[in-house]
């Protein structure tokens, strides 16, 4: 009876979904703490160190503080859209995370159209920002919302083109296949063994370096992080699209932003850094294909890479000034999109000419 | 939806043709206006509305993160471009000048701190120099040298902070905190010298509060040793940053002619090529003994103002070095005790000093410049030329003190600079001007 229930595919599916949602929600407060400590370290400060051991409970205190704040809906705000906006930021970000393979055969929802689903759902986030800016009946918010929608739509093009290059390389839009394909070449580039560095040379970051850089830049813009945080830009627009938001509505915006950052980093790991592949160690072969240890170790490897990328995001945020609006558009439309189109053309050419190191053709 | 979205009409003082309002319409109707006439009235209103709906009036301030004080900028924007800009000042008007008419010359020193709270020492010194010039007294050499050292330290603190805030307004938050940390070294010295950090009230007419503590020289030498590498670090962080350069280069350009005609002074004027520095051109406190250069830039944009401040910090360090090397010993207060207080120990032990102390402290026997005497005296504050125009009526309180605050003159050109630029440029320009609201509104 119990065995029937726990092996029921629907139950397993629900369990997985709850696990991933729960995990992501638990990671965000940790991420906020992580960010604050790193920011303090960069800025020669101490950072939060009062609540709990080393200040680790600070996020809890922050959440409690936010929950008890007065929830203000400004006069003249469009009430329903105003309430909907934070959810529209948060929901797509966490939905997109469901298709990310965080370990061997471990994802909340596995289906073949992984990347298409991710890009589709991910681009819904812009509605949240635009609605939030528009519905709060505040000029700063309106400009913030406008900037957000223009920026996210512009950079989505470059991001999508970079992803297509990877898809052409992998010959698949299934994220699991893309990960497997990155280590199946034996970790070598051009078939070369380079001083023992060949463990990770088949990762897409080496096969598609240009696409990786474009993807990285565009993902900063997509998540509205510095140097692309024009939509919130506290120096000019006070708080941008979330100027009027307070209490848990603001917390949801905040959560959405961090989940989006998490999703983008996870996607970057999956597409370019070999997913849960460990260089010089074939985990499934050593630990057994379907063993629980294989899955746990692969999740650990993935988390390690993810942590590095998140650190990178935070590092950049506390080091750079932000762009001006026209410079942002210039970079997006005149530099990144032509470059990614060129890269796409080159990849297609490689496919036709049969450059095996770039695209391991199955035929 | 809010029907007013997009065509909000904040009061525009420059609105040229008044729109036909409901009242006009009623008036027209009562006059028996025909349909054709009314149609034309409506049409004008509609066209005006349509034109206006492209524009948005946006307030930057009086409470806004970018203004660093209570300034109000009213921008009319079209998309991201600022079409019209106007400024409103006076939110921090405190009546410092009026206060002077009711306070004695010594008492008013404390008020000068509150004007520019980021470089209070320079204000103290500027005021003290003005009254001393009015009285025709010269302070002892040790006092002069100490005033120079402290002024330059304060100038460094102010410039470092300004550079940090400039970076912060462009998004580089870390640089601001680094700058705050560097400024802390300056404030430690200031605190050791006078006990306060921001509102120092350090100078007296005819001298300074008290001699510096014994470890002063060590502290200053330590600062001179530690500060240059940190300064270089901030400079390296910003000058090699492509985004920072793109944001400030070619933004808010003021040419030399314009700078002169708008009365820009200090680092802002010199960044536009106005070769003026009160310390060199009209030396006070023996600035002519020190060997320093007046750096100058020619491009006149926000980038030049940033470089100018960074260069001036180096010159200030140089002046401090020279002043420390030649720091004389001796009294720090003018020896004529008709104007300055004798030492406390002397007051307790010496009849003469006790009388002086009593007469100075009790009203009616303090500093009294002769009737009708007036002076305009200017010093070089971190923001520019800081002038005091002091008129005496022969009593204990001045008849009138007029301040020439550098920020007031520097800020006047600001709305002309931002027009035609983008919203983000306004922040890049405002932060490079380093407007202190307390000084601006007095």
């Amino acid at each position: 009876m119990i065995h029937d229930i726990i092996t029921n595919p629907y139950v397993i599916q629900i369990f997985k979904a709850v696990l991933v949602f729960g995990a992501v929600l638990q990671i965000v407060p940790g991420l906020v703490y992580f960010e604050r400590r790193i920011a303090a370290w960069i800025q020669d400060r101490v950072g939060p160190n009062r609540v709990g051991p080393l200040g680790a409970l600070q996020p809890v205190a922050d959440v409690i503080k936010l929950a008890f704040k007065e929830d203000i809906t400004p006069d003249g705000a469009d009430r329903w859209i105003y309430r909907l906006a934070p959810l529209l930021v948060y929901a797509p970000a966490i939905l997109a995370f469901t298709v990310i393979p965080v370990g061997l055969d471990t994802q909340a929802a596995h289906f073949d159209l992984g990347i298409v689903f991710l890009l589709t759902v991910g681009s819904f986030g812009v509605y949240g920002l635009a609605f939030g800016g528009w519905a709060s009946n505040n000029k700063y918010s309106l400009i913030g919302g406008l900037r957000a929608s223009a920026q996210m739509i512009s950079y989505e093009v470059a991001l999508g083109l970079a992803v297509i290059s990877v898809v052409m390389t992998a010959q698949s839009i299934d994220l699991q296949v893309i990960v497997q394909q990155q280590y199946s070449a034996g970790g070598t580039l051009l078939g070369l063994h380079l001083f023992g560095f060949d463990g990770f040379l088949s990762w897409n970051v080496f096969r598609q370096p240009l696409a990786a850089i474009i993807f990285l830049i565009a993902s900063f813009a997509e998540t509205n992080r510095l140097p692309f945080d024009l939509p919130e830009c506290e120096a000019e627009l006070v708080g941008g699209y979330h100027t009027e938001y307070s209490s848990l509505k603001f917390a949801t915006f905040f959560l959405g932003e961090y989940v989006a950052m998490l999703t983008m980093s996870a996607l970057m790991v999956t597409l370019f850094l070999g997913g849960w592949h460990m260089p010089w160690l074939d985990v499934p072969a050593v630990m057994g294909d379907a063993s629980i240890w294989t899955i746990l170790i692969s999740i650990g490897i993935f988390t390690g890479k993810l942590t590095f990328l998140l650190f990178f995001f935070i590092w950049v945020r506390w080091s750079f000034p932000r762009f001006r609006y026209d410079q942002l558009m210039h970079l997006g439309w005149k530099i990144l999109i032509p470059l990614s189109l060129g890269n796409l053309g080159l990849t297609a050419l490689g496919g036709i000419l049969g450059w095996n190191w770039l695209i391991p053709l199955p035929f | 939806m809010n029907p007013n979205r997009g065509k909000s009409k904040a009061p525009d003082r420059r609105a040229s043709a008044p729109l036909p309002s409901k009242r006009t319409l009623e008036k027209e109707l009562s006059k028996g206006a025909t349909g054709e006439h009314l149609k034309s009235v409506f049409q004008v209103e509609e066209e005006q509305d349509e034109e206006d709906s492209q524009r948005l009036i946006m307030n930057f301030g009086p409470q806004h993160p970018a203004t660093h004080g209570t300034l109000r900028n009213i921008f009319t924007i079209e998309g991201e471009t600022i079409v019209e800009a106007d400024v409103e000042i006076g939110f921090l008007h405190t009546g410092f000048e009026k206060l002077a008419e009711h306070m004695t010359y010594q008492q008013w020193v404390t008020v000068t701190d509150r004007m520019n709270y980021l470089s209070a020492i320079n204000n103290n010194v500027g005021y003290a120099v003005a009254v001393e010039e009015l009285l025709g007294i010269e302070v002892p050499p040790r006092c002069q040298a100490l005033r120079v050292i402290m002024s330059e330290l304060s100038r460094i603190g102010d410039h470092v902070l300004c550079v940090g805030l400039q970076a912060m307004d462009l998004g580089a938050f870390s640089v601001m905190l680094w700058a705050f940390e560097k400024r802390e070294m300056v404030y430690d010295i200031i605190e050791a010298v006078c006990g306060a950090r921001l509102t120092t009230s350090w100078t007296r007419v005819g001298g300074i509060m008290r001699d510096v503590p014994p470890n002063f020289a060590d502290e200053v030498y330590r600062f001179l040793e530690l500060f240059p590498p940190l300064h270089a670090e901030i400079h390296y962080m910003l000058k090699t940053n492509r985004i920072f350069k793109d944001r400030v280069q070619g933004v808010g350009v003021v040419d030399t002619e314009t700078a002169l005609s708008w009365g820009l002074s200090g680092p802002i004027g010199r960044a536009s090529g106005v070769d003026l520095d009160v310390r060199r051109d009209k030396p006070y406190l023996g600035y002519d003994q020190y060997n320093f250069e007046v750096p100058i830039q020619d491009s006149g944009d926000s980038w030049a103002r940033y470089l100018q401040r960074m260069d001036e910090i180096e010159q200030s360090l140089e002046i401090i070095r020279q002043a420390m090397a030649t720091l004389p010993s001796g009294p720090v207060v003018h020896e004529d005790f008709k104007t300055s207080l004798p030492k406390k120990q002397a007051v307790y032990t010496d009849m003469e000093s006790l009388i002086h102390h009593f007469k100075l402290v009790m009203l009616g026997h303090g500093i009294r410049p002769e009737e009708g005497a007036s002076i305009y005296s200017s010093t070089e504050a971190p923001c520019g030329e800081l002038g005091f125009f002091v008129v005496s009526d022969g009593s204990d309180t001045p008849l009138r003190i007029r301040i020439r605050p550098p920020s007031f003159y520097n800020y006047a050109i600001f709305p002309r600079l931002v027009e035609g630029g983008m919203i983000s440029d306004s922040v890049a320009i405002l932060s490079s001007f380093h407007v202190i609201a307390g000084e601006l509104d007095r």
Side-chain angles (χ1 to χ4, degrees):
Chain A
M1 173 65 189
I2 288 173
H3 187 258
D4 279 353
I5 290 174
I6 59 169
T7 52
N8 184 323
Y10 292 102
V11 173
I12 291 177
Q13 204 53 51
I14 289 169
F15 176 71
K16 273 182 175 176
V18 169
L19 197 71
V20 168
F21 276 80
V24 171
L25 284 180
Q26 292 312 307
I27 286 171
V28 170
L31 187 57
V32 174
Y33 172 71
F34 190 53
E35 164 144 28
R36 290 179 64 176
R37 290 295 290 201
I38 291 175
W41 176 51
I42 290 175
Q43 295 166 350
D44 298 343
R45 297 186 284 120
V46 181
N49 69 345
R50 297 285 131 179
V51 192
L54 288 172
L57 293 178
Q58 185 66 42
V60 181
D62 285 348
V63 169
I64 293 172
K65 179 202 74 177
L66 276 171
F68 281 100
K69 287 224 165 182
E70 187 187 355
D71 193 0
I72 299 167
T73 308
D75 282 349
D78 193 321
R79 290 175 156 271
W80 285 107
I81 297 182
Y82 182 76
R83 283 174 201 166
L84 190 65
L87 293 176
L88 274 183
V89 173
Y90 165 66
I94 203 162
L95 262 184
F97 197 85
T98 51
V99 290
I100 304 254
V102 292
L104 180 69
D105 288 332
T106 316
Q107 59 204 114
H110 177 217
F111 53 103
D112 304 340
L113 291 170
I115 286 183
V116 178
F117 174 80
L118 203 148
L119 289 180
T120 317
V121 169
S123 47
F124 268 98
V126 68
Y127 285 103
L129 305 189
F131 282 1
W134 183 69
S136 0
N137 191 24
N138 177 316
K139 289 171 188 172
Y140 299 126
S141 301
L142 182 66
I143 293 175
L146 282 174
R147 282 183 177 182
S149 38
Q151 172 183 327
M152 288 180 78
I153 289 168
S154 305
Y155 279 76
E156 215 158 67
V157 182
L159 186 94
L161 288 172
V163 171
I164 290 173
S165 306
V166 175
V167 170
M168 285 169 83
T169 310
Q171 308 266 306
S172 169
I173 51 175
D174 184 344
L175 286 162
Q176 284 285 7
V177 175
I178 290 174
V179 172
Q180 277 158 20
Q181 200 272 333
Q182 286 185 67
Y183 68 84
S184 59
T188 57
L189 189 69
L190 279 162
L192 289 176
H193 297 274
L194 296 169
F195 313 110
F197 286 115
D198 48 351
F200 49 84
L201 284 179
S202 63
W203 290 358
N204 280 333
V205 70
F206 297 105
R207 291 195 215 164
Q208 292 281 358
L210 197 56
I213 292 167
I214 291 166
F215 184 90
L216 190 65
I217 296 173
S219 61
F220 275 107
E222 284 293 297
T223 49
N224 296 322
R225 301 274 297 178
L226 257 156
F228 298 99
D229 73 336
L230 285 96
E232 39 195 294
C233 194
E234 80 277 355
E236 307 145 40
L237 301 181
V238 190
Y241 55 87
H242 57 53
T243 306
E244 293 285 358
Y245 282 89
S246 61
S247 187
L248 282 177
K249 290 202 188 78
F250 173 75
T252 316
F253 260 126
F254 201 66
L255 200 65
E257 191 185 306
Y258 276 84
V259 174
M261 184 171 125
L262 203 64
T263 309
M264 275 299 167
S265 307
L267 188 60
M268 175 92 193
V269 171
T270 310
L271 292 182
F272 293 99
L273 298 179
W276 41 266
H277 169 234
M278 175 92 172
W280 305 294
L281 180 67
D282 192 355
V283 180
V286 175
M287 303 302 296
D289 228 351
S291 114
I292 185 79
W293 291 109
T294 314
I295 291 171
L296 287 182
I297 289 172
S298 61
I299 291 176
I301 295 162
F302 186 87
T303 315
K305 290 178 182 175
L306 189 66
T307 312
F308 169 72
L309 263 186
L310 290 173
F311 172 73
F312 186 77
F313 265 71
I314 292 164
W315 183 20
V316 167
R317 175 174 179 181
W318 296 107
S319 308
F320 281 111
R322 71 173 70 80
F323 283 98
R324 199 169 62 202
Y325 188 67
D326 57 331
Q327 292 165 351
L328 175 95
M329 287 296 152
H330 180 268
L331 179 70
W333 288 97
K334 293 190 178 163
I335 298 173
L336 290 187
I337 292 180
L339 272 181
S340 52
L341 275 173
N343 188 49
L344 193 65
L346 204 68
T347 314
L349 200 67
I352 292 168
L353 298 179
W355 294 346
N356 262 337
W357 57 274
L358 182 64
I359 301 181
L361 290 175
F363 43 85
Chain B
M1 223 27 252
N2 176 15
N4 284 327
R5 175 178 303 283
K7 44 179 176 179
S8 54
K9 287 194 192 62
D12 186 356
R13 279 176 276 139
R14 291 176 310 278
S16 45
L19 294 175
S21 62
K22 200 179 161 196
R23 215 172 58 195
T24 354
L25 200 63
E26 276 164 3
K27 210 166 78 187
E28 297 280 341
L29 280 171
S30 70
K31 276 196 280 184
T34 56
E36 202 57 34
H37 180 66
L38 273 183
K39 202 173 151 193
S40 69
V41 171
F42 274 126
Q43 205 163 4
V44 170
E45 189 165 20
E46 218 164 82
E47 277 168 15
Q48 193 78 37
D49 265 4
E50 204 162 303
E51 194 186 303
D52 276 3
S53 70
Q54 304 292 316
R55 296 186 172 186
L56 199 67
I57 291 173
M58 203 159 132
N59 271 313
F60 264 49
Q63 290 168 349
H64 190 279
T67 55
H68 306 303
T70 40
L71 314 169
R72 183 178 179 211
N73 306 313
I74 307 156
F75 295 149
T76 309
I77 53 171
E78 249 183 47
E80 286 275 332
T81 314
I82 297 170
V83 191
E84 258 176 41
D86 196 4
V87 298
E88 207 173 278
I89 63 169
F91 287 96
L92 210 58
H93 177 63
T94 330
F96 290 151
E97 287 176 2
K98 190 70 188 168
L99 272 175
E101 295 167 22
H102 300 279
M103 292 166 94
T104 65
Y105 287 92
Q106 282 302 15
Q107 281 172 340
W108 204 65
V109 171
T110 52
V111 175
T112 58
D113 301 332
R114 275 80 178 166
M115 276 190 335
N116 188 339
Y117 31 80
L118 295 179
S119 51
I121 295 267
N122 295 71
N123 286 28
N124 292 162
V125 169
Y127 172 66
V129 166
V131 181
E132 280 152 18
E133 271 181 40
L134 182 67
L135 290 170
I137 56 178
E138 190 163 327
V139 292
R142 181 171 172 83
C143 173
Q144 287 192 357
L146 284 175
R147 280 183 181 182
V148 167
I149 294 168
M150 292 299 282
S151 298
E152 296 306 317
L153 278 174
S154 178
R155 189 187 312 280
I156 291 172
D158 190 272
H159 282 348
V160 163
L161 182 73
C162 176
V163 165
L165 293 179
Q166 199 176 351
M168 183 192 76
D169 279 348
L170 302 179
F173 194 73
S174 298
V175 177
M176 187 272 271
L177 283 169
W178 291 358
F180 258 88
E181 202 203 350
K182 313 307 172 252
R183 192 180 67 139
E184 203 62 19
M185 293 159 68
V186 173
Y187 275 164
D188 283 346
I189 297 177
I190 291 178
E191 193 182 0
V193 166
C194 72
R197 290 156 57 83
L198 280 171
T199 49
T200 50
S201 305
W202 180 59
T203 58
R204 298 286 179 268
V205 174
I208 54 175
M209 188 173 109
R210 60 160 185 242
D211 205 350
V212 290
N215 64 344
F216 176 73
D218 293 343
E219 290 286 315
V220 174
Y221 279 123
R222 199 171 135 260
F223 172 79
L224 288 176
E225 196 181 316
L226 288 179
F227 186 77
L230 301 173
H231 167 245
E233 190 186 0
I234 292 185
H235 199 22
Y236 180 78
M237 184 84 179
L238 290 177
K239 81 178 174 195
T240 56
N241 192 319
R242 175 72 188 276
I243 303 176
F244 181 77
K245 276 161 93 169
D246 280 353
R247 284 294 304 275
V248 292
Q249 279 176 345
V251 167
V253 180
V254 191
D255 57 47
T256 314
E257 281 297 302
T258 322
L260 271 175
S261 57
W262 284 82
L264 301 192
S265 59
I268 297 153
R270 288 193 285 275
S272 300
V274 182
D275 193 8
L276 278 175
D277 189 322
V278 185
R279 290 176 294 175
R280 183 197 59 193
D281 302 331
K282 194 172 98 34
Y284 55 96
L285 294 178
Y287 263 110
D288 43 352
Q289 303 161 16
Y290 307 115
N291 184 17
F292 65 99
E293 284 165 24
V294 177
I296 207 162
Q297 315 288 330
D298 45 15
S299 56
D301 50 4
S302 287
W303 172 243
R305 291 187 275 275
Y306 160 73
L307 287 180
Q308 178 67 26
R309 290 209 169 82
M310 284 312 213
D311 289 352
E312 286 196 9
I313 288 176
E314 276 163 28
Q315 293 306 318
S316 291
L317 287 170
E318 189 53 44
I319 293 174
I320 296 175
R321 257 182 224 115
Q322 292 175 22
M324 283 305 288
T326 58
L327 183 64
S329 56
V332 292
V333 177
H334 184 52
E335 292 287 330
D336 176 10
F337 295 115
K338 296 276 183 275
T339 54
S340 44
L341 284 174
K343 275 200 166 127
K344 203 74 182 172
Q345 190 58 37
V347 175
Y348 290 144
T349 53
D350 179 16
M351 186 67 177
E352 198 82 347
S353 301
L354 180 65
I355 296 170
H356 278 132
H357 187 272
F358 181 78
K359 288 209 158 195
L360 276 171
V361 171
M362 288 296 144
L363 274 182
H365 299 274
I367 299 162
R368 281 182 166 181
E370 59 185 281
E371 191 178 349
S374 70
I375 189 123
Y376 175 77
S377 155
S378 62
T379 52
E380 185 74 18
C383 292
E385 182 186 336
L386 173 72
F388 288 93
F389 181 60
V390 189
V391 185
S392 160
D393 59 354
S395 72
D396 290 308
T397 56
L399 178 70
R400 175 90 168 89
I401 290 185
R402 164 88 173 106
I403 311 156
R404 182 211 186 274
S407 294
F408 182 70
Y409 293 85
N410 294 344
Y411 190 44
I413 199 176
F414 173 72
R416 301 286 85 76
L417 290 179
V418 296
E419 274 174 9
M422 313 204 68
I423 299 174
S424 308
D425 286 345
S426 73
V427 177
I429 297 169
L430 184 60
S431 56
S432 74
F433 269 72
H434 195 42
V435 178
I436 309 292
E439 184 178 77
L440 177 74
D441 298 336
R442 276 121 50 227

